[in-house]
Amino acid sequence: MSRDIKRIGVLTSGGDAPGMNAALRAVVRKGIFHGLRVYGISRGYEGLIHGELAEMSLGSVADIVLRGGTILKTARSAEMMTPEGQQKALEQLHKHEIDALVVIGGDGSFRGAQTLAKGIQIVGIPGTIDNDIPGTDLTIGFDTAVNTVIDAVGKIRDTATSHERTFVVEVMGRHCGNIALQAGIACGAESILVPEIPFEYDEICEKLKRGHQRGKNHSIIIVSEGAGSAYKIGEELHSRSGFDTRITILGHLQRGGNPSALDAVIAAAMGGKAVEIIMSKETNKMTAYVNQKVVSIPLDVAYGEMPPFNRELYDLANQLSI
């Protein structure tokens, strides 16, 4: 990239995550600090295709650093998955004389960005509560989602104790059990079920019975949605153990809320780093949180192999809940 960078665009895409607004704020204000004109794109790639771009000012991102969701909105775009849609998106960027695009989202959002890479400078910021993007230790929103689950389970445990029940709590994680693992070990769940590791009903029931024999009359089982239906798991456990079982599905509750301090700080650092990457005229890069520092890595890393599931932590959770 040899031409001068004058205008940059920024969008949020895919599932929303707490901290996206903090990253957006950093991109806008750091960009303006360096003399760039920054354009916010509403509704992700769908908005880009339809020309929903507006210049942002310092005031347009005031008081959003600790606000959940994304003020730019987000949307899935089937059209962006077609060559025709990609061409429309690129034409809109050229029409508005955008020199570089910052995409805040997950790997699917990054793939969309790379279809534009031949015509514009691209930088990705990893934002997803699942923490399932290779190359970064943390993604924006993960820490907040885990803390949301912990807070909810604390309340559920109160009623589980009062009624002497076993609660099966389903958390997000279609292909990745990171939320279930981190939240489960933090709140002392009796069992943690994740898609990465097969489970046995009899083993879970035996653990419940052992707890009951030593006077424990309530239990919490955390289920990542990719491990199976909480309703079916609850019914099976009740049938096999006889314990009174209830189901709670936390669902989109985990996406909302103010970002944790950690997410807000990481998001701000990633937003600032994205602008630095643009100023250095690099492209096809992603910001990443590695060893407690925000760095720049190739965007292709996001499509690589995921690090192995933390079996050591999973085994520890089982050992602590005997």
Side-chain angles (χ1 to χ4, degrees):
M1 295 288 175
S2 58
R3 66 178 182 272
D4 290 338
I5 306 297
K6 297 180 179 178
R7 300 187 181 195
I8 66 173
V10 56
L11 61 80
T12 52
S13 176
D16 61 307
M20 281 185 164
N21 279 329
L24 169 64
R25 174 179 177 270
V27 170
V28 171
R29 293 198 167 181
K30 177 118 174 153
I32 292 173
F33 175 82
H34 285 290
L36 303 176
R37 297 178 68 178
V38 184
Y39 287 76
I41 302 164
S42 299
R43 300 192 307 117
Y45 291 116
E46 191 70 9
L48 175 58
I49 288 171
H50 293 94
E52 298 177 26
L53 290 79
E55 186 168 4
M56 305 193 77
S57 65
L58 294 175
S60 65
V61 291
D63 300 323
I64 69 168
V65 67
L66 288 178
R67 189 186 305 178
T70 163
I71 65 167
L72 288 180
K73 313 301 182 186
T74 182
R76 309 288 182 181
S77 178
E79 192 172 5
M80 188 61 189
M81 299 175 70
T82 68
E84 294 78 13
Q86 294 157 17
Q87 182 59 35
K88 288 180 182 178
L90 193 57
E91 287 172 357
Q92 287 289 351
L93 291 168
H94 288 161
K95 175 182 175 181
H96 290 84
E97 299 179 333
I98 303 298
D99 302 304
L101 178 65
V102 178
V103 174
I104 307 171
D107 60 346
S109 302
F110 293 167
R111 290 182 190 278
Q114 283 207 306
T115 66
L116 309 173
K118 291 184 179 179
I120 195 168
Q121 190 177 353
I122 297 294
V123 178
I125 296 177
T128 168
I129 66 169
D130 290 330
N131 200 34
D132 60 351
I133 296 181
T136 182
D137 296 341
L138 291 173
T139 58
I140 295 171
F142 174 68
D143 184 68
T144 306
V146 169
N147 280 287
T148 296
V149 173
I150 292 169
D151 180 66
V153 170
K155 294 177 172 64
I156 290 168
R157 192 181 289 279
D158 289 343
T159 191
T161 304
S162 299
H163 291 273
E164 299 183 332
R165 288 171 174 160
T166 294
F167 268 79
V168 179
V169 181
E170 183 179 298
V171 303
M172 285 184 165
R174 190 170 301 169
H175 307 293
C176 176
N178 286 334
I179 292 176
L181 176 60
Q182 296 279 343
I185 196 166
C187 68
E190 278 67 35
S191 291
I192 302 169
L193 311 184
V194 295
E196 292 88 346
I197 300 176
F199 65 90
E200 297 289 340
Y201 283 109
D202 289 342
E203 184 178 323
I204 299 170
C205 290
E206 283 301 315
K207 187 181 292 187
L208 293 174
K209 291 174 182 178
R210 287 198 301 269
H212 182 74
Q213 289 169 359
R214 67 173 187 268
K216 186 176 180 63
N217 294 319
H218 69 277
S219 297
I220 299 292
I221 297 171
I222 302 290
V223 179
S224 181
E225 62 182 328
S229 165
Y231 287 106
K232 292 181 179 178
I233 291 170
E235 290 173 0
E236 189 67 25
L237 291 176
H238 173 67
S239 175
R240 295 189 185 213
S241 70
F243 291 125
D244 192 8
T245 304
R246 293 292 185 273
I247 311 301
T248 298
I249 297 178
L250 297 183
H252 287 80
L253 174 73
Q254 297 157 86
R255 288 198 186 279
N258 298 342
S260 66
L262 178 60
D263 270 331
V265 170
I266 291 175
M270 285 187 172
K273 188 67 174 180
V275 174
E276 291 175 6
I277 293 170
I278 289 170
M279 297 296 292
S280 65
K281 299 183 180 179
E282 297 179 70
T283 190
N284 274 329
K285 295 290 186 179
M286 177 183 87
T287 63
Y289 186 71
V290 180
N291 296 327
Q292 300 186 4
K293 291 184 178 180
V294 172
V295 298
S296 169
I297 64 174
L299 192 57
D300 289 345
V301 174
Y303 318 134
E305 188 174 343
M306 279 290 295
F309 185 72
N310 193 337
R311 185 61 188 255
E312 183 178 353
L313 192 60
Y314 179 86
D315 289 341
L316 175 63
N318 281 331
Q319 293 162 8
L320 297 180
S321 61
I322 57 173

